[in-house]
Amino acid sequence: MKKTTKINLVTAGVVVVLVGIVFFIVANPFAPSKAEVAAATPTVAENSHRLDVAEDEKVTLVEFLDFECEVCGAVYPSIEQIRAEYAGEITYVLRYFPIPSHQNSMNAAVAVEAAAQQGELEAMYKKMFDTQKAWGEQQESKAGLFRQYAEELGLDMAAYDKAVADPDTEARVKFDFDAGLALGIEGTPTFFVNDEVVTAKSIDDIRAALDAALEK
């Protein structure tokens, strides 16, 4: 058999295999749909960060957020107000969703997660939003500034640096991000009340969803 003939046969064989794989993926009735993946993805995981915990945990407000997102920063004071208004009645869960196009969103999330490992999640979460205008929409890395924030909060800096450098810290952030993608999230902030996404055009929409869940 000629060499060119062998090459042509091998190429044809590869094409057939690839077509078969594509057909299997498309036609396979056992492949989960996006809706099925979303239904199987919990809005709150066992290791999710709960900033507030209600005694009965009947109602949970989950926010997928990006610390560099301007809308998240604008909504932040209202969310803090809701947390105060519903203190003791709702569980508030923070989940990371750093948008890739934001230069420092992952750096900020990693800094917050590193602080969380020292029990200072909420302090760093607030620090990020309180200072967002100082570092947001910058093209250069602000990891050094976030380290300064950690110092200002009195964190153990050796432990902080170790956490920031540890791939597991970023993996923890990506865990939330991947869950958000599975749930169909495309932007931030995205809110869920008891696993139901809230179409929030205003903060009153979130209040209404919380009130309805509390009344059930």
Side-chain angles (χ1 to χ4, degrees):
M1 185 180 293
K2 293 182 179 180
K3 185 176 181 181
T4 55
T5 302
K6 288 183 178 179
I7 293 174
N8 289 335
L9 288 174
V10 170
T11 302
V14 171
V15 170
V16 170
V17 171
L18 289 176
V19 169
I21 291 173
V22 171
F23 177 79
F24 176 80
I25 291 173
V26 173
N28 181 14
F30 301 105
S33 66
K34 288 184 178 180
E36 289 172 327
V37 171
T41 303
T43 55
V44 180
E46 184 176 345
N47 64 342
S48 290
H49 292 308
R50 297 160 174 80
L51 270 63
D52 302 315
V53 180
E55 287 187 11
D56 59 8
E57 294 196 58
K58 176 183 175 182
V59 177
T60 300
L61 172 63
V62 180
E63 180 181 5
F64 281 82
L65 58 80
D66 174 350
F67 292 106
E68 194 170 355
C69 166
E70 289 187 12
V71 178
C72 293
V75 169
Y76 161 69
S78 296
I79 294 302
E80 291 301 286
Q81 185 177 344
I82 279 184
R83 290 179 61 197
E85 290 176 7
Y86 291 86
E89 296 183 88
I90 68 169
T91 296
Y92 172 67
V93 177
L94 176 161
R95 300 199 72 175
Y96 306 111
F97 198 80
I99 296 173
S101 61
H102 291 167
Q103 180 66 31
N104 281 288
S105 58
M106 177 59 79
N107 288 334
V110 166
V112 173
E113 181 59 26
Q117 294 178 22
Q118 296 190 44
E120 294 295 342
L121 167 70
E122 185 162 2
M124 187 64 98
Y125 148 81
K126 290 182 175 180
K127 190 78 168 178
M128 287 299 177
F129 281 130
D130 288 341
T131 63
Q132 187 193 68
K133 291 182 180 179
W135 59 268
E137 298 188 339
Q138 303 294 314
Q139 294 307 305
E140 68 275 10
S141 172
K142 293 298 180 180
L145 179 61
F146 300 152
R147 188 180 189 279
Q148 179 183 320
Y149 294 162
E151 287 184 300
E152 291 172 2
L153 293 175
L155 298 186
D156 178 328
M157 295 312 298
Y160 174 85
D161 290 339
K162 182 178 180 181
V164 169
D166 188 344
D168 286 344
T169 304
E170 183 170 327
R172 172 62 186 80
V173 174
K174 288 182 176 179
F175 173 82
D176 278 0
F177 182 79
D178 290 343
L181 291 179
L183 288 165
I185 293 174
E186 297 180 349
T188 55
T190 296
F191 297 95
F192 291 83
V193 171
N194 286 0
D195 298 327
E196 295 292 330
V197 67
V198 179
T199 303
K201 295 182 180 179
S202 73
I203 205 67
D204 287 335
D205 293 327
I206 297 176
R207 285 194 180 94
L210 290 173
D211 290 340
L214 288 166
E215 290 173 3
K216 288 183 180 179

